[in-house]
């Protein structure tokens, strides 16, 4: 992990399109401003991890899923 020190009002660029700005520091909380392309998703870590877990679950197939799919195919 790259660790950088920034003060409020200072920024970091990630490539040409992403800018992170430290807006304020208050106690243990840091307010960060993100300038990212409109088509780039941005998630808080806890939300990102939940999305990843849900995607993994959605990709898991069970034998029952396959049976249900074949039954749908044969009904027509």
């Amino acid at each position: 992990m790259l660790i950088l020190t920034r003060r409020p009002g200072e920024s970091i660029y990630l490539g040409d399109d992403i800018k992170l700005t430290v807006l304020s520091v208050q106690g243990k909380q840091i307010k960060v401003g993100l300038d990212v392309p409109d088509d780039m998703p941005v998630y808080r870590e806890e939300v990102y991890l939940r999305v990843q877990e849900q995607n993994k679950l959605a990709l898991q197939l069970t034998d029952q899923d396959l049976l249900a799919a074949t039954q749908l195919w044969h009904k027509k």
Side-chain angles (χ1 to χ4, degrees):
M1 173 186 295
L2 173 65
I3 299 173
L4 301 171
T5 302
R6 300 276 68 197
R7 292 190 172 99
E10 294 180 338
S11 299
I12 298 169
Y13 278 86
L14 304 174
D16 294 331
D17 298 331
I18 301 171
K19 178 181 173 185
L20 306 174
T21 302
V22 177
L23 300 175
S24 65
V25 178
Q26 192 169 18
K28 292 183 176 182
Q29 286 192 322
I30 300 169
K31 190 178 282 186
V32 178
L34 303 170
D35 290 316
V36 299
D38 290 339
D39 61 342
M40 177 175 282
V42 176
Y43 302 102
R44 291 185 182 105
E45 182 180 32
E46 61 273 19
V47 173
Y48 178 78
L49 294 175
R50 272 188 276 155
V51 168
Q52 293 297 312
E53 184 61 30
Q54 290 298 316
N55 287 343
K56 275 190 218 170
L57 291 173
L59 291 174
Q60 291 179 350
L61 290 177
T62 66
D63 290 341
Q64 290 183 342
D65 294 333
L66 292 173
L67 287 173
T70 59
Q71 289 173 355
L72 289 172
W73 186 302
H74 291 290
K75 282 188 178 179
K76 290 185 177 183

